[in-house]
């Protein structure tokens, strides 16, 4: 049987590893040595479970979407991560990592953010724990995501605009790593997805795996079996998808469908479909698939959804694709917009634009009536209203 877990060297097949500057070696190796025992300790479990329940609002509902099911001729359940505190799945990860930081005796938090969703989730848990928080954000993103910048500031975080490169997520991540290099002893870096050097991809996947743990329990209750026929999730760096599939990876009867952002189309220069368009390289400490030119320069990704335009992808997902464990769809801007309106009008749920890419997979698959499909709605769409309205006017 294939093993989809990370190996002791930090690899998923050919992808992963920990390529960090010498100065970070100590901090990263300490995390590698300690993360599993911290995450499995009774003290961590107790505190994590308590915060997920009382602060985040878990378990999130598994909602049988009847009108959507009727439309696609199968039984669709929506995993409602949009109902979490701060409006997305990202809070599961930041709650977990701030507890890890505390266990390691760190006193200061840095984070990167693109659209601002991870920055807000990090600033939120820092407020909760009374820890200073610095969030690096590309200047371009600071300007186009004002509301999230103001939220982070209200929460007490310092937002540092990054002016290198294209002034977006990749550059913000570089800057956060640079800060960590300057303060390796007292600072903990909360990464927002299943990316970065080992052990981050595995640690974030484990923290988000509360999603698939709940799906199993909830499906057993309403379907009499814990396993669905299909799982569907969108992929930026891969954390909500990793959380959705985690406990189903070794069951080949569960089909995994992932949606990456096609942008204007994978045959145009305006795309963020890393798995379709990428080739092997190293970004932010790990071997993975990357959008790059012939000289290895990272290409600027494009998607209508600010949470999906990352030029890399988690090493786990690169592996799942290479091993054909997951089928990956490039869902374009217009398909995602159409899917978002469809969910809104059929079910009264306005999804995040990222999640709308997962919904955009539904018309591409031929389901049968008894198929049980679980689709993760990773976040709510309040932040995307302007984009949605602009589309409606056309
Ligand atoms: C950040 C974000 C994503 C993409 O990140 P993953 O790590 O791939 O899950 C998807 N949906 C929402 C709502 C987000 O905020």
């Amino acid at each position: 049987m294939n093993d989809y877990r990370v190996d002791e060297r930090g690899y998923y097949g050919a992808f992963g590893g920990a390529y960090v500057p010498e100065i970070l070696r100590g901090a990263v190796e300490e995390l590698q040595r300690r993360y599993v025992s911290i995450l499995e300790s009774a003290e961590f479990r107790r505190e994590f479970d308590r915060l997920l329940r009382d602060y985040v609002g878990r378990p999130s509902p598994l909602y049988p979407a009847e009108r959507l099911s009727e439309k696609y001729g199968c039984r669709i359940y929506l995993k409602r991560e949009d109902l979490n505190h701060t409006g997305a799945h990202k809070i599961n990860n930041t709650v977990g990592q701030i507890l890890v930081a505390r266990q390691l005796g760190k006193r200061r938090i840095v984070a990167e953010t693109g659209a601002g969703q991870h920055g807000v989730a990090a600033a939120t848990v820092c407020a909760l724990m009374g820890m200073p928080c610095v969030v690096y954000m590309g200047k371009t993103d600071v300007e186009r995501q004002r509301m999230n910048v103001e939220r982070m500031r209200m929460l007490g975080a310092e937002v540092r605009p990054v002016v290198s490169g294209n002034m977006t997520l990749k550059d913000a991540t570089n800057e956060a790593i640079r800060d960590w290099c300057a303060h390796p002893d007292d600072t903990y870096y909360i990464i927002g997805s299943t990316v970065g050097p080992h052990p981050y991809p595995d640690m974030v996947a484990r923290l988000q795996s509360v999603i698939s743990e709940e799906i199993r329990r909830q499906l057993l209750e309403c379907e009499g079996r814990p396993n669905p026929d299909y799982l569907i999730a969108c992929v930026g760096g891969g954390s909500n998808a990793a959380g959705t599939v985690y406990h189903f990876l070794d069951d080949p009867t569960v089909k995994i469908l992932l949606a990456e952002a096609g942008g204007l189309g994978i045959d145009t220069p305006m795309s963020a479909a890393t798995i379709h368009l990428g080739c092997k390289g190293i970004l932010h400490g790990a071997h993975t698939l990357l959008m790059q030119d012939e000289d290895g320069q990272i290409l600027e990704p494009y998607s209508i959804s600010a949470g999906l335009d990352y030029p890399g992808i988690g090493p786990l997902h690169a592996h799942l694709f290479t091993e054909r464990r997951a089928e990956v769809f490039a869902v374009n801007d217009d398909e995602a917009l159409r899917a978002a309106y469809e969910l809104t009008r059929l079910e009264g749920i306005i999804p995040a634009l990222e999640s709308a890419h997962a919904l955009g997979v539904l018309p591409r698959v031929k389901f049968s009536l008894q198929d049980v499909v679980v689709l993760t709605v990773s976040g709510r769409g309040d932040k995307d209203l302007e984009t949605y309205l602009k589309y409606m006017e056309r």
Side-chain angles (χ1 to χ4, degrees):
M1 192 164 73
N2 205 314
D3 194 350
Y4 301 109
R5 316 285 152 181
V6 76
D7 68 20
E8 62 289 342
R9 292 157 44 248
Y11 277 85
Y12 301 88
F15 304 104
Y19 298 84
V20 295
E22 192 59 38
I23 184 109
L24 284 182
R25 195 67 57 79
V28 169
E29 283 176 359
E30 185 191 16
L31 196 57
Q32 290 173 353
R33 258 195 326 273
R34 296 190 54 192
Y35 81 107
V36 172
S37 62
I38 292 176
L39 297 188
E40 290 179 351
S41 70
E43 185 190 349
F44 178 91
R45 289 297 342 164
R46 198 174 332 107
E47 191 66 357
F48 188 48
D49 291 349
R50 182 183 72 79
L51 286 171
L52 288 182
R53 186 189 66 217
D54 300 337
Y55 189 68
V56 175
R58 304 201 72 91
S60 64
L62 186 69
Y63 166 69
E66 283 185 19
R67 298 186 69 206
L68 193 68
S69 298
E70 196 171 318
K71 164 107 202 220
Y72 289 103
C74 57
R75 297 224 288 276
I76 301 174
Y77 289 86
L78 302 176
K79 185 57 174 161
R80 298 290 308 276
E81 295 301 301
D82 58 311
L83 295 177
N84 294 339
H85 179 44
T86 69
H89 66 291
K90 290 211 170 71
I91 190 84
N92 304 326
N93 171 45
T94 58
V95 165
Q97 284 200 53
I98 196 110
L99 295 177
V100 171
R102 222 171 47 174
Q103 274 303 311
L104 295 172
K106 306 292 180 180
R107 285 189 304 275
R108 175 176 175 271
I109 299 296
V110 293
E112 85 294 342
T113 199
Q117 295 301 105
H118 172 58
V120 168
T124 298
V125 296
C126 287
L128 178 68
M129 298 293 172
M131 277 163 99
C133 180
V134 174
V135 179
Y136 290 90
M137 187 173 189
K139 184 163 165 284
T140 309
D141 291 330
V142 168
E143 283 159 10
R144 60 185 178 187
Q145 305 288 340
R146 277 204 63 80
M147 190 54 109
N148 277 339
V149 174
E150 298 309 334
R151 285 168 86 193
M152 287 183 263
R153 289 189 175 138
M154 180 156 179
L155 287 159
E158 181 193 338
V159 179
R160 291 196 188 155
V162 174
V163 294
S164 57
N166 290 297
M167 307 188 214
T168 57
L169 176 58
K170 165 178 65 69
D171 315 294
T173 308
N174 289 337
E175 220 47 55
I177 292 173
R178 211 162 286 151
D179 180 309
W180 193 21
C181 288
H183 311 90
D185 295 329
D186 70 337
T187 295
Y188 181 89
Y189 178 19
I190 300 189
I191 294 186
S193 190
T194 41
V195 299
H198 176 65
Y200 279 101
D202 185 48
M203 180 168 61
V204 175
R206 284 169 186 251
L207 293 172
Q208 291 289 1
S209 73
V210 63
I211 299 173
S212 62
E213 202 178 298
E214 289 175 4
I215 292 173
R216 285 179 66 83
R217 208 167 56 231
Q218 291 166 321
L219 265 190
L220 187 61
E221 216 163 88
C222 49
E223 284 286 334
R225 58 172 164 125
N227 293 359
D229 298 296
Y230 291 91
L231 290 167
I232 306 180
C234 66
V235 183
S239 68
N240 87 88
T244 301
V245 307
Y246 194 85
H247 286 92
F248 302 105
L249 281 172
D250 297 325
D251 181 346
T253 67
V254 180
K255 298 178 199 69
I256 297 173
L257 311 182
L258 303 178
E260 56 177 5
L264 299 185
I266 55 172
D267 47 0
T268 75
M270 304 288 277
S271 182
T274 309
I275 294 179
H276 282 82
L277 301 175
C279 48
K280 267 182 81 173
I282 292 176
L283 179 66
H284 300 144
H287 229 130
T288 187
L289 293 173
L290 297 179
M291 290 175 48
Q292 50 190 323
D293 66 16
E294 288 124 47
D295 302 327
Q297 289 291 327
I298 305 297
L299 296 171
E300 183 69 2
Y302 162 81
S303 161
I304 192 170
S305 150
L308 297 183
D309 60 0
Y310 184 64
I313 176 84
L316 164 65
H317 307 69
H319 182 56
L320 293 179
F321 169 72
T322 310
E323 294 296 310
R324 295 169 192 249
R325 178 67 187 92
E327 190 176 350
V328 183
F329 297 79
V331 174
N332 293 349
D333 289 359
D334 56 342
E335 297 171 281
L337 286 164
R338 223 176 296 132
Y341 269 89
E342 182 175 86
L343 184 72
T344 304
R345 297 294 168 84
L346 285 179
E347 299 289 350
I349 297 168
I350 302 177
L353 259 169
E354 293 84 359
S355 322
H357 286 73
L359 292 155
V361 169
L362 292 173
R364 305 257 204 111
V365 183
K366 196 97 200 77
F367 298 106
S368 52
L369 274 176
Q370 66 278 10
D371 281 340
V372 172
V373 179
V374 173
L375 187 151
T376 295
V377 180
S378 53
R380 66 176 82 122
D382 310 31
K383 67 184 178 57
D384 300 313
L385 271 191
E386 257 177 64
T387 310
Y388 286 146
L389 291 176
K390 221 184 302 171
Y391 174 74
M392 194 154 68
E393 282 157 14
R394 281 191 303 185

